[in-house]
Amino acid sequence: MASGRVHAALLKPPSQSEEENNEEEKAWENFFAELESVDLTLGTTLRSIYDDQPNAHKRFMEKLDARIRNHDREIEKMCNFHHQGFVDAITELLKVRTDAEKLMGQVTDTNRRLQEAGKEVTVQTEEVICCRIQQRNMATTVEKLQLCLPVLEMYIKLKEQLESKRYYAALKTMEQLETVYIPRVSQYRFCQIMAENLPRLREEIKEISMSDLKDFLESIRKHSDKVGETAMRQAQQHKTFNSAVAKQASMGNYTKPVYSLNGRTHTHNGLMMDNSGDEDEADEEILTAQDLVDFSPVYRCLHIYTVLGDRETFENYYRKQRKKQARLVLQPQANMHETVEGYRRYFNQIVGFFVVEDHILHATQGLVTRAFTDELWNMALSKIIAVLRTHSSYCNDPDLVLELKNLIVIFADTLQGYGFPVNRLFDLLFEVRDQYNETLLKKWALVFREIFEMDNYSPIPVETEEEYKLVVSRFPFHDAEIEKQQDFPKKLPMSQSVPQIYTQVKEFIYASLKFSESLHRSSTEIDDMLRKSTNLLLTRTLSSCLQNLIRKPHIGLTELVQIIINTTHLEQACRYLEEFITNITNVSPETVHTTRLYGLSTFKDARHAAEGEIYTKLNQKIDEFIQLADYEWGMVESDGRASGYLMDLINFLRSTFQVFTHLPGKVAQTACMSACKHLSTSLMQMLLDTELKQISMGAIQQFNLDVIQCELFASSEPVPGFQGDTLQLAFIDLRQLLDLFMVWDWSTYLADYGQPTSKYLRVNPATALALLEKMKDTSKKNNIFSQFRKNDRDKQKLIETVVRQLRSLVNGMSS
């Protein structure tokens, strides 16, 4: 703005007024003030002067010269004003010059002396400076070392942790090194080496922890037996303890127990046990799986893999290995069924395996799950059941089967205490019970056979009242007549085997009851099981032994009679066996669905078999006597007395039927009737034997004498109870046939044939014809010259006539 005004003033013509000249001068003053100002730019001011202005340069130069002259005058005035002062100052300076030179000499001398005196100080100062530099370096070093020392200390700590196998802590230390310490001093080479080395250490820790886990798995496989044994012993002690508690509760001295399978046993108010050994056991601390097994490798490996972010790999590996071990544990030894120790080791290993898995399940989070353990258990349970079915089938010792059952119960109770379902094991026990019953039946079959072999099959002699009471205490025998007898000795009707059999049946019931214990079954079910097993003993084992005994060749008629008597008494004792079972189980026999004992049918069947064997042996004996018969079939006249073999046979029958007095009446009567019929049939077959070609009348007479003896024997009532001549009717066929030939009453026979009132109603035409043919041949052979005698010729013609008529009758019957 100022340059603009100066420019406008410079452009005005010279003819301007005085006022305008003053303004022009003022404008130039402002203009030069701008030029002399150091803050303004000269280019703008000068441009405003020279732009489109004629003679601008000349005027500017004139003004500039005038300005310069003005400044020179002012300078001169100022110099003149200060000249005297300047001269005075110069004069003073000249005076000071001499003093300055003198001072300079003094200063130089002082400086020299000071330098000479400060040389030592300079040396010491340099030393101090060096020390200070060293101190500074040391401080810096200490500061840096203070930053590095924690890293080194942590690394040393890491090495110590690795050496002491504290791998989880080592991983935590590594994490701190990586996240906290190493970043502070990452510029140093050793830290870089450390950082590069940490991943390798992690892999080493993984490998070492996995190696420890493998060692643990191998160790736990070897020690599962001990873990399982301890767990099963604890379960058994628990069961015994509860039984004692229940017993004391029933006695009114109950104290509530607190029991834990995984800890210690405590009782409120100190429950007292009767057995001092039990007290000692109660005071002992109950060991757990953690007490027997060091699980730290599992925890350590789990934590390590979790920290390393590879937990899933570890879980999969652990579960896979445990599945393999489970399959190995479930494989039984080939001879496991031979001893109870084989089963015990098998169960201990399985229990130990699942106790460890249960501990891992509860001590870790997610390493194994309930679903995984359930899957393992279901797989194991199926295998266990299959193994026990197979091996128990090889066992023939009932004591071993019973011990196996007890082991299965303890095994099931133990695992049930750890939360595993065991219902299928108790179902398996019912199958094992059947196997147990089978082994019992085999064992008792040997017992029964031995009793039968040792029996003398004679009534039990009782010499004193004590002996009588002893027998009655072993067998429920009641006989009013024998009890009325005051004098001794006495004879009891049954043989020694009866009380022995009865006692053994009771022992069998006790043995069968042992298996039913601890099966968690009701009294009704136990009663049903006892009755069914007892029925099997009676109907199958004892019945079979009796049947085999009856069929033995050395068992004679006397023994068979005694067997019938024995079975009768055993049959009567069956109701006492039912009472015995009822007293054991406290189940009333009137209860619905109660199984009845089938002993009655068993002994009846045995008795019927013995009766049949009596009939058979009697017939065999009769056949043996008849084989001794030696008839002279061509004899002319009889001896006048019965044959010796037949008299021996009749005497044998008399003595035999005297033994039958102890048999029920119908049995003796049936045996007697059977013997007489068989004798009659045998004699008839002897006459009609096809190998016998000729019979004389003398032989017929001799045969008739023998039949008469048979009839006399029948009429003598060898066995009481027959009505009239019932027994003699066994020989009626022989009697009528012999009478027909002895009397030679063919006309009557032929005339009355077919009539109900016929005298020879029992004579068959074919039988008569066969015997007549034998006599016809005899007549022809022995009477060669009889044709010259008229009587003989007439008799021969009569025989031929009768033969023709008999043949016509036989032919008429066949047509």
Side-chain angles (χ1 to χ4, degrees):
M1 295 297 291
S3 61
R5 289 193 300 270
V6 173
H7 178 67
L10 291 175
L11 294 179
K12 289 183 179 182
S15 59
Q16 291 176 341
S17 65
E18 187 64 29
E19 184 179 354
E20 292 177 351
N21 290 332
N22 291 333
E23 291 179 1
E24 182 180 356
E25 289 297 330
K26 189 177 181 180
W28 280 107
E29 286 294 333
N30 291 334
F31 172 73
F32 283 113
E34 291 179 5
L35 290 176
E36 292 173 355
S37 175
V38 297
D39 296 332
L40 298 177
T41 305
L42 296 179
T44 304
T45 306
L46 293 175
R47 191 179 298 111
S48 65
I49 297 172
Y50 286 100
D51 285 348
D52 299 330
Q53 296 296 326
N55 298 319
H57 176 69
K58 181 179 179 183
R59 289 181 64 83
F60 172 70
M61 292 304 295
E62 290 175 356
K63 292 295 182 181
L64 180 61
D65 289 337
R67 184 78 175 173
I68 292 171
R69 286 192 298 271
N70 187 27
H71 281 302
D72 287 340
R73 284 192 299 272
E74 289 179 359
I75 292 171
E76 184 178 355
K77 287 178 181 180
M78 186 177 293
C79 287
N80 289 333
F81 178 77
H82 293 289
H83 175 73
Q84 187 61 43
F86 177 72
V87 171
D88 293 338
I90 291 300
T91 302
E92 290 294 329
L93 284 174
L94 289 176
K95 291 179 180 179
V96 172
R97 181 176 182 180
T98 302
D99 296 332
E101 289 177 354
K102 185 187 293 185
L103 179 61
M104 184 63 181
Q106 294 177 353
V107 169
T108 303
D109 184 59
T110 302
N111 180 55
R112 179 183 58 77
R113 288 186 283 108
L114 182 62
Q115 290 296 328
E116 289 177 357
K119 285 182 180 179
E120 185 176 353
V121 175
T122 303
V123 173
Q124 293 179 354
T125 302
E126 290 177 354
E127 292 178 357
V128 170
I129 292 171
C130 290
C131 289
R132 292 294 176 85
I133 293 172
Q134 291 177 354
Q135 287 179 349
R136 186 176 68 249
N137 291 340
M138 290 175 64
T140 304
T141 303
V142 169
E143 181 183 355
K144 299 302 181 182
L145 285 176
Q146 286 177 346
L147 290 174
C148 294
L149 279 177
V151 180
L152 297 173
E153 289 174 353
M154 290 296 288
Y155 197 79
I156 294 173
K157 180 180 178 182
L158 172 62
K159 288 294 186 179
E160 293 176 350
Q161 289 170 342
L162 291 175
E163 291 176 359
S164 61
K165 297 183 178 181
R166 296 165 55 203
Y167 300 118
Y168 180 71
L171 288 174
K172 289 295 185 182
T173 303
M174 288 184 191
E175 183 179 356
Q176 291 180 350
L177 278 172
E178 286 181 329
T179 58
V180 179
Y181 293 96
I182 290 180
R184 296 175 182 173
V185 288
S186 59
Q187 68 273 21
Y188 299 109
R189 177 61 182 165
F190 79 91
C191 289
Q192 297 174 2
I193 295 174
M194 284 184 186
E196 294 172 357
N197 199 31
L198 291 181
R200 182 182 62 80
L201 292 177
R202 281 195 176 92
E203 289 301 321
E204 289 182 0
I205 290 174
K206 284 181 66 174
E207 293 175 359
I208 294 172
S209 62
M210 183 57 71
S211 177
D212 290 345
L213 176 66
K214 291 178 180 178
D215 294 340
F216 166 79
L217 292 175
E218 182 65 25
S219 174
I220 197 63
R221 179 173 174 269
K222 295 178 180 178
H223 294 88
S224 291
D225 191 2
K226 180 64 176 177
V227 175
E229 179 184 359
T230 302
M232 291 182 69
R233 184 171 64 251
Q234 291 173 10
Q236 192 168 15
Q237 290 174 355
H238 186 195
K239 186 175 180 180
T240 305
F241 182 81
N242 288 342
S243 299
V245 170
K247 183 177 180 181
Q248 290 195 6
S250 64
M251 296 171 62
N253 185 21
Y254 176 67
T255 306
K256 185 178 180 181
V258 178
Y259 185 85
S260 172
L261 284 175
N262 289 319
R264 302 181 180 181
T265 301
H266 304 282
T267 59
H268 297 300
N269 301 328
L271 180 65
M272 298 300 294
M273 306 295 287
D274 294 335
N275 193 323
S276 59
D278 294 340
E279 291 178 357
D280 296 337
E281 292 180 2
D283 293 337
E284 294 179 359
E285 180 179 351
I286 297 179
L287 298 177
T288 65
Q290 193 170 6
D291 299 322
L292 298 172
V293 179
D294 180 16
F295 287 94
S296 58
V298 180
Y299 304 148
R300 185 164 54 244
C301 198
L302 175 62
H303 291 159
I304 288 171
Y305 273 77
T306 302
V307 170
L308 296 176
D310 204 9
R311 179 187 177 108
E312 184 177 357
T313 300
F314 172 73
E315 290 178 355
N316 293 334
Y317 176 81
Y318 178 84
R319 295 179 186 181
K320 181 179 179 181
Q321 293 302 315
R322 290 299 279 169
K323 278 187 178 180
K324 289 182 179 179
Q325 289 189 343
R327 293 188 179 95
L328 291 176
V329 165
L330 294 172
Q331 291 295 330
Q333 295 181 351
N335 60 344
M336 183 179 74
H337 60 277
E338 295 178 358
T339 61
V340 70
E341 290 302 320
Y343 288 108
R344 182 174 285 111
R345 283 193 299 271
Y346 182 67
F347 287 134
N348 286 343
Q349 290 176 356
I350 295 173
V351 170
F353 178 89
F354 283 100
V355 167
V356 169
E357 285 306 293
D358 180 78
H359 180 81
I360 294 294
L361 173 66
H362 291 89
T364 62
Q365 294 182 351
L367 178 56
V368 294
T369 62
R370 175 57 68 182
F372 174 74
T373 55
D374 288 345
E375 178 187 356
L376 278 181
W377 172 243
N378 290 330
M379 180 269 291
L381 192 57
S382 300
K383 180 66 176 179
I384 292 167
I385 291 174
V387 167
L388 292 179
R389 280 175 178 160
T390 301
H391 283 264
S392 64
S393 64
Y394 300 147
C395 184
N396 296 319
D397 183 4
D399 295 333
L400 180 57
V401 178
L402 184 61
E403 291 182 352
L404 171 60
K405 166 257 173 183
N406 293 331
L407 282 177
I408 293 175
V409 171
I410 298 172
F411 173 74
D413 290 343
T414 303
L415 290 174
Q416 190 174 31
Y418 286 91
F420 295 100
V422 294
N423 291 334
R424 291 174 61 190
L425 285 175
F426 284 103
D427 294 337
L428 172 67
L429 284 174
F430 284 93
E431 300 179 24
V432 179
R433 180 200 64 191
D434 296 336
Q435 175 66 20
Y436 176 70
N437 285 337
E438 288 297 325
T439 57
L440 283 181
L441 293 175
K442 291 178 182 178
K443 178 180 179 180
W444 256 259
L446 297 175
V447 172
F448 290 152
R449 281 198 288 269
E450 183 178 358
I451 290 174
F452 290 141
E453 289 175 1
M454 299 299 294
D455 194 10
N456 57 7
Y457 297 98
S458 59
I460 300 175
V462 179
E463 300 296 334
T464 62
E465 185 175 358
E466 287 73 16
E467 291 183 9
Y468 178 78
K469 290 181 179 180
L470 179 62
V471 174
V472 173
S473 66
R474 296 171 57 197
F475 180 76
F477 174 75
H478 302 286
D479 189 311
E481 295 183 359
I482 294 179
E483 290 176 357
K484 287 180 180 178
Q485 297 175 8
Q486 299 296 328
D487 298 332
F488 286 92
K490 299 180 182 179
K491 279 192 176 182
L492 306 184
M494 66 277 188
S495 67
Q496 197 66 252
S497 63
V498 172
Q500 293 176 353
I501 292 293
Y502 183 80
T503 302
Q504 287 301 322
V505 172
K506 291 171 67 175
E507 291 296 327
F508 176 86
I509 294 173
Y510 278 126
S512 182
L513 178 64
K514 288 181 181 178
F515 194 91
S516 302
E517 297 173 351
S518 305
L519 290 186
H520 310 299
R521 298 293 172 178
S522 65
S523 299
T524 304
E525 290 176 308
I526 295 176
D527 181 87
D528 186 65
M529 287 188 288
L530 287 180
R531 291 177 183 272
K532 286 181 178 179
S533 58
T534 306
N535 277 332
L536 284 176
L537 177 72
L538 296 177
T539 59
R540 196 171 75 184
T541 304
L542 182 55
S543 176
S544 176
C545 291
L546 285 171
Q547 297 290 343
N548 293 333
L549 173 67
I550 290 169
R551 296 190 184 94
K552 285 186 177 181
H554 70 275
I555 297 297
L557 292 172
T558 303
E559 287 82 1
L560 289 172
V561 171
Q562 188 61 54
I563 289 172
I564 292 175
I565 296 172
N566 290 347
T567 54
T568 302
H569 287 282
L570 288 172
E571 179 182 344
Q572 295 171 355
C574 282
R575 63 187 182 92
Y576 296 101
L577 289 176
E578 290 207 7
E579 292 177 1
F580 177 71
I581 294 175
T582 300
N583 293 333
I584 292 177
T585 60
N586 293 323
V587 177
S588 174
E590 285 76 20
T591 305
V592 181
H593 306 306
T594 299
T595 304
R596 300 297 179 183
L597 293 185
Y598 301 144
L600 297 177
S601 61
T602 297
F603 297 122
K604 284 181 180 178
D605 293 341
R607 190 160 55 251
H608 292 160
E611 293 170 2
E613 196 67 21
I614 286 177
Y615 307 150
T616 301
K617 287 188 179 294
L618 268 177
N619 294 341
Q620 290 175 352
K621 199 67 178 178
I622 291 172
D623 292 340
E624 291 176 4
F625 279 103
I626 288 179
Q627 288 176 1
L628 299 175
D630 187 18
Y631 286 103
E632 186 179 349
W633 297 108
M635 64 191 306
V636 178
E637 293 182 354
S638 66
D639 294 338
R641 62 179 183 274
S643 301
Y645 85 92
L646 188 69
M647 295 307 298
D648 293 340
L649 172 58
I650 290 175
N651 291 333
F652 165 76
L653 292 177
R654 289 186 187 279
S655 61
T656 299
F657 290 140
Q658 287 178 356
V659 178
F660 286 8
T661 54
H662 297 292
L663 290 176
K666 292 183 178 180
V667 177
Q669 292 172 11
T670 304
C672 187
M673 178 60 75
S674 174
C676 291
K677 285 184 177 181
H678 184 73
L679 177 59
S680 175
T681 302
S682 299
L683 292 174
M684 181 69 77
Q685 289 176 350
M686 189 185 300
L687 283 175
L688 301 178
D689 188 3
T690 55
E691 294 182 0
L692 179 61
K693 303 299 182 180
Q694 299 174 349
I695 299 179
S696 65
M697 182 57 70
I700 292 293
Q701 293 172 353
Q702 181 64 41
F703 203 80
N704 181 58
L705 291 176
D706 293 344
V707 173
I708 291 174
Q709 290 299 322
C710 293
E711 290 173 335
L712 290 174
F713 169 73
S715 62
S716 66
E717 197 175 8
V719 174
F722 286 107
Q723 296 181 356
D725 55 355
T726 302
L727 192 58
Q728 297 178 38
L729 293 178
F731 301 98
I732 190 63
D733 291 356
L734 273 175
R735 171 49 49 212
Q736 290 186 6
L737 179 63
L738 292 175
D739 285 349
L740 176 61
F741 278 84
M742 294 287 294
V743 179
W744 206 253
D745 194 7
W746 292 106
S747 58
T748 304
Y749 174 76
L750 294 173
D752 296 341
Y753 179 75
Q755 299 296 325
T757 57
S758 173
K759 181 179 179 181
Y760 305 103
L761 181 64
R762 308 284 296 185
V763 178
N764 188 292
T767 303
L769 176 62
L771 185 58
L772 190 60
E773 290 282 356
K774 298 177 186 294
M775 294 187 68
K776 175 182 176 182
D777 294 340
T778 303
S779 299
K780 289 181 178 180
K781 179 179 179 181
N782 295 334
N783 299 301
I784 299 175
F785 302 102
S786 62
Q787 55 183 337
F788 300 105
R789 295 192 291 270
K790 184 176 182 301
N791 292 335
D792 292 336
R793 290 198 306 271
D794 294 340
K795 186 175 181 181
Q796 190 66 32
K797 289 180 180 179
L798 177 60
I799 291 174
E800 292 177 354
T801 302
V802 172
V803 167
R804 287 195 298 272
Q805 291 179 350
L806 289 175
R807 284 175 178 168
S808 64
L809 290 175
V810 172
N811 293 332
M813 291 174 61
S814 61
S815 62

